[in-house]
Amino acid sequence: MTALTLSTAAAPGLKVDAIVVGVAKGTGPKSGDLVVAPGAEAVDKAYDGRLAGVLETLGASGGEGEVTKLPAPSGFKAPLVLAVGLGALPEKDGSFSGETLRRAAGVAARALAGSKKAAFALPIEDAADAGAVGEGALLGAYSFDVYKETAKGDGSGKGAKNGKAPLAEATLLGGKPRDKAFKAAIERATAVSEELNRARDLINTPPNDLNPEAFAAVAQAAAKEHGIKVQVLDEKALEKGGYGGILGVGVGSASAPRLVKLSYTSSKAKKHLAFVGKGITYDSGGISLKPAGHNETMKCDMSGAAAVFAAVVAASRLGLEVNVTGWLALAENMPSGSATRPGDVLRMYSGKTVEVLNTDAEGRLVLADALAKASEETPDAIVDVATLTGAMMLALGNRTFGVMANDDSFRTAVYEAAEEVGEAAWPMPLPDHLLKGMDSPTADIANMGERYGGGLVAGLFLKEFVGEGITWAHLDIAGPAFNEQGPFGYTPKGGTGSAVRTLVRLAEITAAGDLG
């Protein structure tokens, strides 16, 4: 993991591999001009105030995510200056948003793979900006290479991303190392980013090494390390408890399912949140087998459970004054002679019966059991997170998750929390008329409904298993959970850790008494 530090030192005297500066596209009278962003004054001065001109000569435009490297000026101990584009210069107050800074730092950190230390001279006006830059640097430097021969390394800085190790240390200039607010911002950025990157590691781990039992073991180890209570229900306990949904999904696999409960408690807590995560460690579709071309990334179908796990651990590391319980519904969905068949009826933990019309609609089955169990503790709110439906991807694309809820104000609060931390989300409805499509002549409800609005149908199914009077929201992260394209901003290719920061922010807001 990249180390994160604050410094008030001047850029010219720093013994680092690179100095990172920000550049932007000018607006108004300067429209079209390249503008050096605040924080890089000392670097610009060393170029006799001509840094923007030099960069323009090299083809830089200031576009968001653009990277331009050039030799450091005479007198600098660093050999390299890396300019990263921030996009258009803000017209109102000249302040860049936290998300802009987060993305720029992520791009720079990724571009500096193989470097031991870099100084980030990006615009930092307050502690929040420092936190955003720090978070972006830590998330952007992420690399998953444990299965590559080059990952062994030889101490030379080689041996990871494209043969290069991730940036080892990021020093933020313009921060105040002794200021409580700045120190807290860096500590928060470190805790959240480290746990989010742990979630990414889990998502990226191949399913032959991460089955339900292995995932549960990772959760147990982390819980012990961070003072979190943990309970793991194995297949015998699940059968005794009547968890028909989780068992029905996992019965076709040689790897038995698990239900993991993680409990972080604070002596000063006045509220209790429950997070529920879909943890299908591999989804073949079961008997309703997925077609060719749809199986290759199904190791990511446990991204919801990974997000919940990471959020609970982060809440503990931050010492938030709120009780947070995480439920990881873990199973592997495989076809075999013992697998659940289309047409089978499962008796769920809640007592409801479900006719399984499609075994590839399995996520809602494991979540239904976990939601019913979580409801027994009557938390102030439940939020479930799941890579649930392809329909949500069709509706919102690959970078935005849908937010559904049984309470409009809570749905808005979740959406606003996501926007605040830079996670693209969109509020979605739960139209009652779609319930009709899940009528079953055999059971209380079917696990499939109308084709159109499939993401909403899935949300309505889950709502049926939430305890009466409990506020609940559902995040369908099917699109942003796994990035199959190239990296962008602080987002790598592969597992992204989607929804971790939203959950942590919800916990923070609740701890502060601002969630209602």
Side-chain angles (χ1 to χ4, degrees):
M1 184 70 185
T2 303
L4 196 61
T5 58
L6 289 166
S7 177
T8 56
L14 287 171
K15 293 182 178 180
V16 295
D17 296 306
I19 306 289
V20 177
V21 300
V23 291
K25 292 182 177 182
T27 56
K30 295 185 177 181
S31 181
D33 294 341
L34 191 68
V35 179
V36 177
E41 290 83 1
V43 179
D44 189 30
K45 182 179 179 180
Y47 285 99
D48 297 325
R50 296 183 296 176
L51 176 57
V54 173
L55 289 169
E56 284 184 319
T57 300
L58 294 174
S61 67
E64 183 177 327
E66 179 186 75
V67 170
T68 308
K69 296 180 180 180
L70 67 162
S74 176
F76 271 55
K77 292 185 178 180
L80 178 72
V81 170
L82 185 151
V84 59
L86 300 171
L89 189 70
E91 294 186 21
K92 292 184 178 180
D93 57 4
S95 298
F96 292 93
S97 70
E99 179 62 7
T100 296
L101 298 178
R102 196 178 289 114
R103 291 176 180 175
V107 169
R110 185 168 53 254
L112 290 169
S115 300
K116 293 183 178 179
K117 187 174 183 179
F120 287 70
L122 294 173
I124 295 179
E125 297 182 4
D126 53 26
D129 288 344
V133 172
E135 194 174 89
L138 296 180
L139 296 179
Y142 173 81
S143 178
F144 184 77
D145 298 284
V146 297
Y147 288 87
K148 295 182 178 180
E149 182 68 23
T150 54
K152 295 179 180 179
D154 57 6
S156 65
K158 297 181 179 180
K161 187 183 302 181
N162 297 322
K164 298 179 180 179
L167 174 66
E169 182 178 348
T171 297
L172 276 55
L173 305 184
K176 301 176 182 179
R178 297 182 181 180
D179 184 279
K180 290 184 179 180
F182 276 83
K183 288 175 65 176
I186 294 304
E187 289 173 359
R188 180 190 184 280
T190 300
V192 173
S193 298
E194 286 183 351
E195 295 313 319
L196 192 153
N197 283 338
R198 194 205 302 249
R200 288 173 170 177
D201 283 347
L202 286 168
I203 298 164
N204 289 326
T205 299
N208 58 316
D209 280 347
L210 190 76
N211 58 24
E213 184 179 2
F215 196 148
V218 171
Q220 287 175 305
K224 183 178 180 180
E225 179 184 356
H226 296 287
I228 299 169
K229 292 183 180 179
V230 62
Q231 179 185 15
V232 179
L233 300 184
D234 62 14
E235 63 270 33
K236 292 181 180 179
L238 291 170
E239 185 173 355
K240 183 178 179 180
Y243 294 86
I246 297 175
L247 288 168
V249 173
V251 71
S253 173
S255 299
R258 296 287 187 272
L259 178 61
V260 179
K261 178 185 179 183
L262 298 167
S263 302
Y264 161 69
T265 57
S266 167
S267 60
K268 298 181 180 179
K270 296 182 180 179
K271 297 283 188 178
H272 175 202
L273 292 177
F275 297 151
V276 177
K278 172 188 172 183
I280 305 300
T281 57
Y282 182 75
D283 181 20
S284 69
I287 296 296
S288 305
L289 194 67
K290 292 179 183 292
H294 290 75
N295 291 287
E296 290 77 6
T297 61
M298 282 300 101
K299 64 182 181 179
C300 80
D301 214 19
M302 36 60 67
S303 295
V308 167
F309 165 57
V312 175
V313 177
S316 177
R317 291 182 60 174
L318 295 172
L320 301 184
E321 296 178 3
V322 58
N323 293 336
V324 182
T325 304
W327 299 89
L328 316 181
L330 308 176
E332 186 177 60
N333 187 25
M334 296 291 284
S336 73
S338 62
T340 293
R341 297 154 290 232
D344 282 355
V345 174
L346 305 177
R347 185 169 295 278
M348 312 297 281
Y349 177 79
S350 67
K352 283 188 174 75
T353 55
V354 176
E355 182 182 9
V356 179
L357 299 180
N358 188 325
T359 64
D360 196 24
E362 84 299 329
R364 64 199 71 183
L365 299 176
V366 301
L367 286 174
D369 275 356
L371 285 169
K373 183 62 176 177
S375 296
E376 290 182 345
E377 298 185 348
T378 60
D380 293 282
I382 298 176
V383 180
D384 78 70
V385 187
T387 47
L388 206 59
T389 66
M392 195 56 57
M393 297 174 67
L394 291 174
L396 299 178
N398 292 323
R399 298 191 184 184
T400 304
F401 62 75
V403 183
M404 287 153 265
N406 60 3
D407 180 275
D408 288 347
S409 62
F410 187 57
R411 181 183 62 189
T412 299
V414 173
Y415 163 70
E416 291 178 345
E419 290 292 300
E420 186 178 345
V421 298
E423 294 200 297
W426 197 251
M428 303 291 283
L430 288 174
D432 287 339
H433 72 270
L434 290 175
L435 274 169
K436 180 73 174 171
M438 289 185 283
D439 283 350
S440 166
T442 308
D444 294 319
I445 191 171
N447 77 328
M448 293 291 289
E450 293 185 24
R451 175 187 176 191
Y452 297 109
L456 311 183
V457 170
L460 286 165
F461 179 91
L462 295 178
K463 183 182 176 183
E464 293 294 303
F465 295 87
V466 177
E468 187 175 353
I470 297 177
T471 301
W472 158 80
H474 161 56
L475 312 185
D476 190 336
I477 62 170
F482 199 83
N483 175 27
E484 296 186 61
Q485 308 302 317
F488 60 93
Y490 49 83
T491 302
K493 186 173 183 178
T496 66
S498 178
V500 172
R501 291 179 293 141
T502 296
L503 295 181
V504 173
R505 186 60 191 140
L506 276 174
E508 289 174 327
I509 294 170
T510 304
D514 297 331
L515 195 59

